[in-house]
Amino acid sequence: MHTLKPYILLFAFLSLSMFSVGQNRYQIKTGDPNGIKKWYMGRQIAQVMSHYGIDWLEREERQREENTSLLLKNLAVKPGMFIADIGAGSGYHSALLSKMVGSGKVFAVDVEPEMIAYLNERIKKEKLSRIVPVLSTEQKVSLPENTIDMMLLVDVYHEFSYPYEMALSMRSALKPGGKLVLVEFRSEDSTVPIKTIHKMSEAQAIKELKAAGFVFDKNIDNLPWQHCMVFTKQ
């Protein structure tokens, strides 16, 4: 029995070390009241828009304000692609993408059961056969490894409570060479009429996703208010 002690001590040390690294990754402190008391790489994490914000997600003026049709054109979707709409919410983008993938699929991923219920009702009502709702967790997208051609995140990444863990999970689910398209309101532009904490800069986004192993490809700078940043899984 005495021979087990070194291994038990080693396991305990490694466990504590991993816990310490995880704890040090995030800072707990106050800041903008529209955010949570948690910071990552110098950025305060915003509060999550819950299912109570569905009306805002589905607002009539969204096409005019965000030029959704141009965003979809930026994605260069090809028939047969497997696309994950991360933080799909009401399914606003998922519904549009489902009509573009042909024999492919759109995985509408969200952390809220209420959003998944809304998505299921939308699929029935609009007869959207290519959408697969997926209930995720705060740390995992709940998708199999190496299965997704492209991931789309529209105004959602800045709300992740565990951005590093989620980035690792997304990277794992992407196929080699797969693309992650990060759409965020531009913090560099003070004229964008969105709360500061719900914006991100290009530099901050690159810093955070690079830490999880993504490679920055380009920023398609043609949307009215948002960055359209493309990252690759090498």
Side-chain angles (χ1 to χ4, degrees), residues 61-102:
E61 59 269 30
R62 188 167 187 180
Q63 164 60 30
R64 174 176 54 81
E65 293 175 347
E66 300 182 15
N67 203 339
T68 304
S69 58
L70 183 56
L71 167 60
L72 294 177
K73 186 177 180 180
N74 288 345
L75 300 180
V77 175
K78 297 178 181 178
M81 289 181 74
F82 277 27
I83 299 176
D85 182 7
I86 308 297
S90 64
Y92 179 85
H93 293 95
S94 295
L96 296 170
L97 287 167
S98 70
K99 300 169 184 177
M100 302 169 67
V101 295

Side-chain angles (χ1 to χ4, degrees), residues 195-208:
K195 293 177 181 178
T196 301
I197 199 165
H198 287 285
K199 298 180 181 181
M200 279 194 76
S201 70
E202 177 184 305
Q204 183 70 28
I206 292 172
K207 178 169 67 172
E208 294 188 21

Side-chain angles (χ1 to χ4, degrees), residues 45-157:
I45 297 170
Q47 294 176 1
V48 174
M49 175 182 287
S50 71
H51 59 283
Y52 294 111
I54 285 178
D55 287 345
W56 190 81
L57 295 174
E58 295 291 328
R59 66 194 188 280
E60 291 183 7
E61 59 269 30
R62 188 167 187 180
Q63 164 60 30
R64 174 176 54 81
E65 293 175 347
E66 300 182 15
N67 203 339
T68 304
S69 58
L70 183 56
L71 167 60
L72 294 177
K73 186 177 180 180
N74 288 345
L75 300 180
V77 175
K78 297 178 181 178
M81 289 181 74
F82 277 27
I83 299 176
D85 182 7
I86 308 297
S90 64
Y92 179 85
H93 293 95
S94 295
L96 296 170
L97 287 167
S98 70
K99 300 169 184 177
M100 302 169 67
V101 295
S103 60
K105 289 183 181 179
V106 177
F107 297 89
V109 181
D110 205 276
V111 72
E112 272 204 304
E114 294 86 352
M115 287 295 199
I116 297 299
Y118 184 92
L119 278 164
N120 280 316
E121 287 301 314
R122 181 174 200 157
I123 289 168
K124 292 177 184 177
K125 183 179 179 181
E126 299 180 22
K127 299 180 180 179
L128 303 171
S129 62
R130 308 311 301 176
I131 299 180
V132 180
V134 178
L135 181 64
S136 68
T137 72
E138 289 186 331
Q139 300 189 49
K140 292 184 179 180
V141 292
S142 303
L143 294 170
E145 293 183 9
N146 302 313
T147 56
I148 304 298
D149 296 293
M150 179 187 296
M151 288 186 172
L152 175 65
L153 292 84
V154 179
D155 306 325
V156 67
Y157 173 83

Side-chain angles (χ1 to χ4, degrees), residues 178-215:
K179 302 292 184 182
L180 184 149
V181 181
L182 183 64
V183 180
E184 291 282 350
F185 290 108
R186 297 192 295 268
S187 66
E188 299 92 336
D189 187 351
S190 61
T191 66
V192 174
I194 297 294
K195 293 177 181 178
T196 301
I197 199 165
H198 287 285
K199 298 180 181 181
M200 279 194 76
S201 70
E202 177 184 305
Q204 183 70 28
I206 292 172
K207 178 169 67 172
E208 294 188 21
L209 288 174
K210 183 179 179 181
F214 282 96
V215 175

Side-chain angles (χ1 to χ4, degrees), residues 163-180:
Y164 178 74
E165 290 80 0
M166 279 293 284
L168 290 181
S169 179
M170 291 188 294
R171 186 174 182 275
S172 176
L174 280 170
K175 295 177 182 178
K179 302 292 184 182
L180 184 149

